[in-house]
Amino acid sequence: MEPDTQTYTCAMIPPVPRTLDRREGPYGEVVLRERGRHFEIIANGCFLMDTSDGRSERLLIDAALGALPAGRSDPSLLIGGLGVGFSLVRAAEEERWGRIAVVEREQAIVDWHRQGPLDRISGAALADPRTQVLHTDLVAHLRTATERYDALCLDIDNGPDWTVTDDNGGLYSPTGLAHCHDRLTPGGVLAVWSAQPSPAFEQALRNAGFTGVRTEEVAVARGVPDVVYLASRGA
């Protein structure tokens, strides 16, 4: 019997996205969309992330914790970018983390988590007494803050070579990486998420004085794998 071609074709068509909220902010437009069972965040017309997977966002947190010196008690964590909340949720699930700070510059994204649809993902993590949300620009925070963290887990772009806004490029510059280095405790770990490999960024990390530079990959359904860059500040 021949397959029902019409039914099969319809089943393969992805759901049409539905816009839930659209905001104009100081860094441009951010949009929250719902596509079937999943949510998507679009920044300035560029797809940023969705809730369809999350393995690499969780790896960002797990790999940083695993790279810390053995026996470090209650390590502090700074997450750069709240996004869809996967990294924060993973951190809150781990009892070994001490203070968990999340830097998010888009008020809309914070609102979607606190009073909007993304609350179903991150509600418990945001209520965790260890969690603090800092509504500020990550690059500015790293430049002006005085506190140090045991781990910086940064996911604010599609990668060092694919930034959401031009000013984010400063994070991956020699000056930006120097600020990351300064914000880490001795032996602390920098972890950076990217949608594609960047050998030039690996070298930039070494040039900035980081040691133990390496990458971990997560295969995706199509295209190049997601990448987490790991680097340590010397003891």
Side-chain angles (χ1 to χ4, degrees), residues 67-79:
L68 284 172
R72 184 160 299 201
S73 177
D74 298 326
S76 58
L77 168 64
L78 175 70
I79 300 175

Side-chain angles (χ1 to χ4, degrees), residues 23-195:
R23 306 265 190 102
E24 279 290 341
Y27 307 99
E29 182 188 69
V30 287
V31 178
L32 178 65
R33 301 195 309 196
E34 185 177 38
R35 186 187 295 270
R37 298 181 295 107
H38 299 292
F39 298 105
E40 302 173 339
I41 295 178
I42 312 296
N44 293 314
C46 178
F47 175 86
L48 195 57
M49 59 181 60
D50 65 15
T51 58
S52 64
D53 192 338
R55 287 175 299 153
S56 57
E57 289 92 337
R58 291 187 282 268
L59 173 64
L60 183 72
I61 303 299
D62 292 346
L65 183 60
L68 284 172
R72 184 160 299 201
S73 177
D74 298 326
S76 58
L77 168 64
L78 175 70
I79 300 175
L82 179 54
V84 294
F86 285 152
S87 294
L88 171 61
V89 170
R90 188 64 159 192
E93 290 173 344
E94 176 54 67
E95 295 180 356
R96 285 177 289 173
W97 287 115
R99 182 168 61 99
I100 302 170
V102 186
V103 172
E104 176 53 62
R105 71 181 188 177
E106 297 288 354
Q107 184 61 50
I109 293 179
V110 176
D111 292 345
W112 296 336
H113 281 276
R114 290 202 180 278
Q115 298 101 24
L118 298 182
D119 171 74
R120 71 185 74 168
I121 296 172
S122 61
L126 286 171
D128 190 301
R130 296 171 295 170
T131 299
Q132 177 188 18
V133 177
L134 306 174
H135 179 214
T136 187
D137 178 72
L138 175 65
V139 178
H141 180 72
L142 293 172
R143 183 179 66 249
T144 60
T146 57
E147 64 267 38
R148 289 185 172 183
Y149 303 89
D150 295 298
L152 304 178
C153 292
L154 311 184
D155 179 8
I156 64 169
D157 292 300
N158 283 319
D161 303 325
W162 189 0
T163 58
V164 174
T165 56
D166 291 340
D167 52 332
N168 277 1
L171 176 64
Y172 312 104
S173 69
T175 300
L177 293 178
H179 292 319
C180 290
H181 193 275
D182 291 344
R183 296 279 62 75
L184 286 170
T185 59
V189 174
L190 171 65
V192 180
W193 187 94
S194 177

